[in-house]
Amino acid sequence: MKRYIIVCLSILFFSSCSNWLDVQPKTTVEEEEVFSREIGFKEALTGIYIKMASKDLYAKNLSYGFLDILGQRYEPSNVEAYQDELWYTFPSTKTESYTTTIWGKMYNIIANVNNLLYYCDKKRDVFTTENYYEIIKGEALGLRAFLHFDLLRMYGTIYEQNPTSKRIAYRTVFNREPKEMQASNVVVDSIIADLKQAEILLTDTDPLNFDFPKDEYEEQNMTSDRFLFYRHKRMNLYAVKALLARVYLYAGNKIEAANYAKQVIDSKQFDFVADVADLQRSKEIVFSIYVDDFDLQVKEEFGTNGSYYVSTMNFLYEMFDVTHDGTNDFRIREGVSFDFALNGITTRKYRQENMWSSTEGTVVLIRLAEMYYVLAECAADAQTAAGYLNAVREARGVDPTGLTEATRLNEIEKEYRKEFYGEGQLFFFYKRHGYTTFLHCPVERMVEKNYMFTWPENEELFGMTN
């Protein structure tokens, strides 16, 4: 399989005795050597993306795995497997291993990002390629914001109800000291500050190479710097803007959320894909990660012995609102978006073997449709909101729908169910709006604690959590 990434010659792990991190020791001399050359920064940044693409994080549990179990996306033959209240009990025998691992690995990556950012300025003189300093630092700042925001969405309270709760710490310095938990609104301010700085750095420096070579010949004959290609698999300028839209909506600032969502749409860098053979809808990808040997992982986990499938047609039809919208929506169509078999119904979204080099091994983290949904939530009236929803629906082969203020959120929720299957975003939608129940939810009445991941035991014992 053709690899789009530069092979990471040295994935960086740095030392700390803090309980925030789980890293291997590396001497300051070795660090200085790594960052004494421009290629060292490229290797370090690539290593960060590789660590994000582990099965414990975005290659599985923060996409189609744990988060989509919580979103009630699957129904194995044993109905009790996921339709169980213990999945919404933190901690429990179902959830504790996930929440402990996610916390440790996310902060480990943040430590690597912080070290990279430290050396970006300390060793700025080693950057000899035009715009490399701005691009690498901009990507790193965007990634730091992205990782902290997902930590807040998982471990934080329902923000709208309790914006001053202290659930995570925003780490900006690589050191050995634990840091006191900060109020969620303070964390949001830090996220936005990093994204704004990243936006400045990437403006007029990001090459915005979102082209998708369709065959190996095209890829092999790319003449420009390959490090700057496939920007949809990096924290690019428009990924930063899209994330700002996501964060501002989370914080309740609809004016700025709409502003940034419009900037992404109006950039004309992305467009809806009508080609049903393009399972990833490639030109709609704003930000994604590359997962090595993803085809083997998918074959195992979505195959006959996997755990990520739907066993009854009714379960799937409810999820995609077939009673109202029918089956013309290609997001549910057999042989296009799902495989229907006697042993279960599985998504085709991740069957990417023999696809274009630019789309193999792809897990989408932000896609174009979300920007339309942001605008639908922020629109001044239901009629305008319906226009944004219908732009996506029509691109998916579904008839337009009308909205009233009473039905607006319900229709947006249905679109999240259809659009982000296997991508981990639905649970965050339910949490952000404080849903007390949702489709196939096994809990009689969801409350804040059913949405809020717990800290690892060691963090409560030794961290600054009081």
Side-chain angles (χ1 to χ4, degrees):
M1 182 188 298
K2 190 73 177 175
R3 304 301 185 214
Y4 94 97
I5 56 171
I6 295 173
V7 176
C8 181
L9 303 177
S10 172
I11 301 175
L12 305 180
F13 299 88
F14 301 108
S15 61
S16 174
C17 63
S18 168
N19 62 304
W20 293 86
L21 310 173
D22 177 20
V23 291
Q24 299 298 318
K26 205 168 188 68
T27 68
T28 302
V29 173
E30 288 173 318
E31 291 176 16
E32 294 281 349
E33 174 62 25
V34 167
F35 292 114
S36 66
R37 299 172 300 149
E38 191 174 75
I39 193 173
F41 285 91
K42 294 164 71 173
E43 291 169 0
L45 183 59
T46 301
I48 288 164
Y49 285 109
I50 289 172
K51 287 166 75 67
M52 288 176 64
S54 76
K55 292 175 72 172
D56 288 324
L57 299 178
Y58 294 98
K60 178 180 175 181
N61 284 331
L62 301 188
S63 54
Y64 69 81
F66 183 48
L67 286 181
D68 256 14
I69 290 172
L70 297 177
Q72 287 300 316
R73 304 304 230 164
Y74 309 112
E75 181 217 25
S77 301
N78 177 6
V79 176
E80 296 300 321
Y82 298 145
Q83 283 71 55
D84 187 329
E85 290 189 23
L86 285 177
W87 285 106
Y88 304 90
T89 304
F90 301 101
S92 75
T93 54
K94 299 274 190 191
T95 62
E96 188 169 14
S97 63
Y98 290 102
T99 58
T100 298
T101 300
I102 291 166
W103 178 275
K105 293 205 168 188
M106 292 283 273
Y107 272 114
N108 174 268
I109 299 173
I110 288 168
N112 282 266
V113 172
N114 284 335
N115 207 61
L116 173 61
L117 285 167
Y118 169 76
Y119 278 101
C120 266
D121 289 326
K122 183 177 181 181
K123 297 283 190 176
R124 183 170 181 174
D125 61 307
V126 309
F127 290 97
T128 57
T129 305
E130 185 181 13
N131 296 332
Y132 261 33
Y133 166 80
E134 289 81 5
I135 291 170
I136 289 174
K137 185 174 180 180
E139 285 190 39
L141 285 166
L143 290 173
R144 183 166 74 184
F146 182 88
L147 294 163
H148 278 104
F149 184 56
D150 274 359
L151 280 166
L152 183 63
R153 292 202 290 176
M154 290 182 284
Y155 295 86
T157 55
I158 298 173
Y159 187 86
E160 185 179 34
Q161 299 176 7
N162 193 1
T164 60
S165 65
K166 295 183 178 182
R167 295 294 302 169
I168 74 165
Y170 203 88
R171 304 279 299 186
T172 58
V173 178
F174 180 80
N175 59 32
R176 302 173 181 227
E177 301 300 322
K179 185 172 182 178
E180 185 176 356
M181 302 294 182
Q182 296 163 285
S184 295
N185 55 355
V186 173
V187 172
V188 166
D189 288 343
S190 296
I191 292 168
I192 291 171
D194 268 355
L195 291 173
K196 291 281 194 176
Q197 189 179 355
E199 182 184 23
I200 292 169
L201 287 164
L202 292 171
T203 298
D204 298 327
T205 61
D206 190 333
L208 303 176
N209 291 321
F210 296 109
D211 291 336
F212 295 88
K214 295 184 179 181
D215 56 47
E216 206 163 295
Y217 174 81
E218 284 187 71
E219 184 184 62
Q220 290 172 348
N221 285 275
M222 290 190 299
T223 57
S224 300
D225 185 348
R226 294 169 67 88
F227 184 69
L228 301 179
F229 271 79
Y230 299 157
R231 295 296 293 163
H232 61 291
K233 291 188 174 179
R234 307 290 287 265
M235 180 57 71
N236 61 79
L237 173 62
Y238 287 101
V240 168
K241 291 177 182 290
L243 185 54
L244 276 163
R246 185 183 278 182
V247 174
Y248 275 123
L249 184 64
Y250 177 88
N253 187 337
K254 292 186 176 181
I255 293 175
E256 284 301 310
N259 170 34
Y260 276 100
K262 285 179 180 177
Q263 287 188 45
V264 176
I265 294 168
D266 292 345
S267 73
K268 305 302 182 184
Q269 295 287 346
F270 316 96
D271 198 8
F272 289 118
V273 175
D275 181 3
V276 295
D278 186 351
L279 300 180
Q280 280 297 314
R281 303 192 287 278
S282 57
K283 292 184 179 180
E284 302 179 19
I285 300 172
V286 181
F287 178 43
S288 63
I289 56 165
Y290 171 82
V291 183
D292 196 28
D293 290 330
F294 195 42
D295 53 337
L296 301 179
Q297 177 180 322
V298 168
K299 187 177 295 185
E300 176 185 351
E301 303 215 320
F302 289 94
T304 55
N305 297 318
S307 303
Y308 302 101
Y309 66 92
V310 173
S311 60
T312 61
M313 193 72 73
N314 186 58
F315 187 95
L316 188 73
Y317 277 4
E318 285 181 317
M319 193 184 310
F320 282 82
D321 195 28
V322 167
T323 301
H324 181 262
D325 283 337
T327 57
N328 286 332
D329 190 335
F330 77 64
R331 292 172 295 188
I332 192 178
R333 200 176 302 168
E334 182 180 5
V336 175
S337 293
F338 283 90
D339 285 324
F340 290 27
L342 292 175
N343 58 326
I345 304 164
T346 55
T347 181
R348 292 177 56 84
K349 183 176 286 187
Y350 294 125
R351 298 193 185 279
Q352 300 167 9
E353 68 275 15
N354 302 317
M355 296 291 288
W356 305 331
S357 302
S358 56
T359 53
E360 283 183 330
T362 298
V363 174
V364 178
L365 303 181
I366 307 177
R367 65 169 66 250
L368 177 63
E370 183 180 349
M371 299 299 100
Y372 284 85
Y373 299 156
V374 169
L375 291 174
E377 283 200 49
C378 297
D381 57 78
Q383 183 177 359
T384 305
Y388 292 123
L389 281 192
N390 287 331
V392 183
R393 289 170 61 87
E394 290 175 19
R396 305 298 182 236
V398 191
D399 291 337
T401 186
L403 291 183
T404 66
E405 282 305 325
T407 63
R408 185 200 303 215
L409 189 62
N410 185 51
E411 292 301 318
I412 295 172
E413 182 264 339
K414 289 179 185 178
E415 284 300 305
Y416 268 77
R417 292 203 316 244
K418 301 169 190 175
E419 186 69 19
F420 303 118
Y421 189 91
E423 295 180 17
Q425 296 302 316
L426 183 60
F427 179 72
F428 288 143
F429 178 87
Y430 290 143
K431 179 174 181 176
R432 176 162 59 85
H433 288 289
Y435 274 51
T436 55
T437 190
F438 49 82
L439 185 64
H440 303 134
C441 179
V443 180
E444 184 175 349
R445 180 178 174 80
M446 292 281 286
V447 295
E448 187 173 69
K449 67 180 182 180
N450 299 120
Y451 284 110
M452 191 168 65
F453 295 5
T454 45
W455 294 312
E457 183 179 356
N458 284 347
E459 193 64 45
E460 298 211 51
L461 289 174
F462 305 113
M464 300 176 70
T465 58
N466 294 324

